[in-house]
Amino acid sequence: MTTALNALWTPLSSTPLLWLVVTLAAYVAGRWVQSLCGGSPYASPVLIAIILVGCGLVVTGTSYTTYFAGAQFINFLLGPVTVALAVPLAENFGLVWRNLTSIGLALLAGSLTSVISGIGLVWALGGTRDVALSMAPKAVTTPIAMAVSEQIGGVPALTAALAILGGILAAIIGRQMLRQFQIEDLRAHGLAAGVAGSGIAAAQIAAIDETGAAFAALGIGLNGVLTAIFVPVLIALWR
Amino acid sequence: MPVALLILAGCELLGEVIRAACHLPIPGPVIGMFVLAAALGLRTGLTGQKKTPAPLKPAAETLIANMGLLFVPAGVGIIAQFGLIRHQWLPISAALLGSTVLSLGVTGLVMHKLLLLNHRRLAARAGTIQPHPPADCANRNPLP
């Protein structure tokens, strides 16, 4: 039985198709669990899928490189989906234009808060400098976060992990937290999701409302640009 | 679908070209997003056509609705960082939680307050356009 299984597993484990299917299945399972929980944001399908696939890799002793050879086809679509965020943005152009000052100020406040509190908390709790620097750009979209992290002396791979964990966290707590502050306006929800949690939190808002999606898209884009410019300057001053 | 993919991938490519040509620190897809938004805005401005071109809209909606799936492969990479995260779990988890909560709250609250302020200002401005009743008229007809 084991030899038969091995004879089947050995060629299968190296085809990209296997891990592509596993990733899709894990996400479908995550969505199923979320719908079982009545659509609760706590049952994040992204988090569930990551845990399922991660366990699968550990149990089968598969390396991340082997896994990524299959999963890269899904990862590749991150580029087109980022571009696709232009659609809700353009459809709400008038609304964005009328609130440009509010957006700019809220973005500046949220972005600075994220970077400074991230560095400050790591430093205050005895974390090392490279971890603090990896934490600084974690709220922005992963490719920008990694590039900034590398530039300022962080660990890009750690920043990528933090960006995704932060995004999952923002997607889970964002809506409920802002409601606690009596904020129901989806423009504020969208912008906060985009600025604090980038793509993953934006996905959560985009599924609910198109105006929210537009403001989240703007939050991701503008916070990315702002962080890429001011974080390296800020760190240079800190040194 | 091919037209929509052409537009999306084309804008991404254009974004990459702009990034490389201008040595920008911003990734190609983010530049591509602003390029496509500007192009769609320009189209509306020139033709008065407010709707997104037919093949683009459903493709964009489908992609955005399933955006979470696209983060799974990169997210699985977290396991490679497990050693470092476990070693400094307290500063990492506290900073991640703290700064995400603070940033969400600050962005949301500032945006909310400014939108309210904006709304009140616009309402006040709209109010001044309407003629106020003359003072003597108001005196003759006191409110019940």
Side-chain angles (χ1 to χ4, degrees):
Chain A
M1 180 66 197
T2 328
T3 41
L5 214 61
N6 265 339
L8 192 66
W9 173 254
T10 311
L12 203 64
S13 63
S14 59
T15 88
L17 194 59
L18 174 71
W19 296 109
L20 184 67
V21 171
V22 167
T23 307
L24 287 168
Y27 188 71
V28 170
R31 288 244 292 228
W32 179 69
V33 171
Q34 188 175 40
S35 72
L36 276 187
C37 299
S40 160
Y42 290 101
S44 159
V46 184
L47 185 61
I48 294 169
I50 289 172
I51 293 171
L52 285 176
V53 174
C55 289
L57 292 185
V58 171
V59 167
T60 59
T62 307
S63 74
Y64 183 65
T65 323
T66 309
Y67 165 73
F68 201 77
Q72 62 173 322
F73 302 107
I74 295 171
N75 189 67
F76 177 77
L77 287 173
L78 274 176
V81 80
T82 306
V83 178
L85 284 170
V87 171
L89 187 57
E91 291 197 338
N92 289 281
F93 204 69
L95 201 56
V96 167
W97 187 250
R98 279 198 297 280
N99 296 300
L100 212 57
T101 324
S102 313
I103 293 170
L105 289 173
L107 165 78
L108 200 64
S111 187
L112 277 170
T113 305
S114 167
V115 172
I116 294 171
S117 65
I119 296 176
L121 281 166
V122 172
W123 180 72
L125 291 165
T128 53
R129 186 184 167 91
D130 57 343
V131 169
L133 292 174
S134 305
M135 187 67 73
K138 64 105 187 40
V140 300
T141 179
T142 320
I144 301 187
M146 289 175 78
V148 170
S149 175
E150 175 142 49
Q151 199 184 342
I152 61 178
V155 184
L158 178 62
T159 301
L162 296 174
I164 287 172
L165 288 172
I168 292 171
L169 194 64
I172 289 175
I173 60 172
R175 300 261 301 146
Q176 218 160 7
M177 201 188 109
L178 292 184
R179 281 214 189 110
Q180 294 273 311
F181 291 122
Q182 313 287 329
I183 301 172
E184 293 291 339
D185 194 321
L186 283 160
R187 292 173 290 180
H189 278 260
L191 192 74
V195 169
S198 73
I200 299 176
Q204 165 89 0
I205 292 286
I208 302 167
D209 181 73
E210 193 166 81
T211 309
F215 280 75
L218 207 65
I220 297 172
L222 293 181
N223 194 22
V225 175
L226 186 71
T227 304
I229 295 166
F230 95 85
V231 168
V233 176
L234 197 76
I235 300 301
L237 291 176
W238 185 37
R239 239 169 235 155
Chain B
M1 197 64 181
V3 179
L5 278 177
L6 174 67
I7 295 173
L8 294 176
C11 285
E12 191 185 347
L13 183 65
L14 196 61
E16 293 289 355
V17 170
I18 294 172
R19 184 187 65 86
C22 305
H23 303 286
L24 295 174
I26 301 144
V30 175
I31 301 172
M33 177 181 92
F34 285 120
V35 168
L36 181 59
L40 290 172
L42 202 66
R43 180 173 171 273
T44 307
L46 288 178
T47 62
Q49 178 70 259
K50 264 199 128 80
K51 280 195 175 146
T52 308
L56 185 57
K57 174 104 173 158
E61 275 177 348
T62 310
L63 273 174
I64 293 171
N66 297 295
M67 201 151 73
L69 165 69
L70 313 184
F71 286 98
V72 175
V76 175
I78 294 170
I79 53 170
Q81 296 301 314
F82 214 69
L84 187 53
I85 293 176
R86 199 174 48 185
H87 202 69
Q88 299 191 33
W89 67 273
L90 180 66
I92 288 179
S93 52
L96 193 65
L97 182 69
S99 81
T100 302
V101 164
L102 280 172
S103 172
L104 268 172
V106 167
T107 314
L109 275 174
V110 171
M111 185 69 181
H112 178 67
K113 294 283 177 213
L114 289 173
L115 285 174
L116 274 183
L117 214 69
N118 219 356
H119 184 74
R120 284 206 199 108
R121 213 187 55 207
L122 285 177
R125 199 190 291 163
T128 56
I129 297 165
Q130 285 170 359
H132 285 292
D136 59 321
C137 170
N139 283 343
R140 253 182 282 138
N141 296 314
L143 287 170

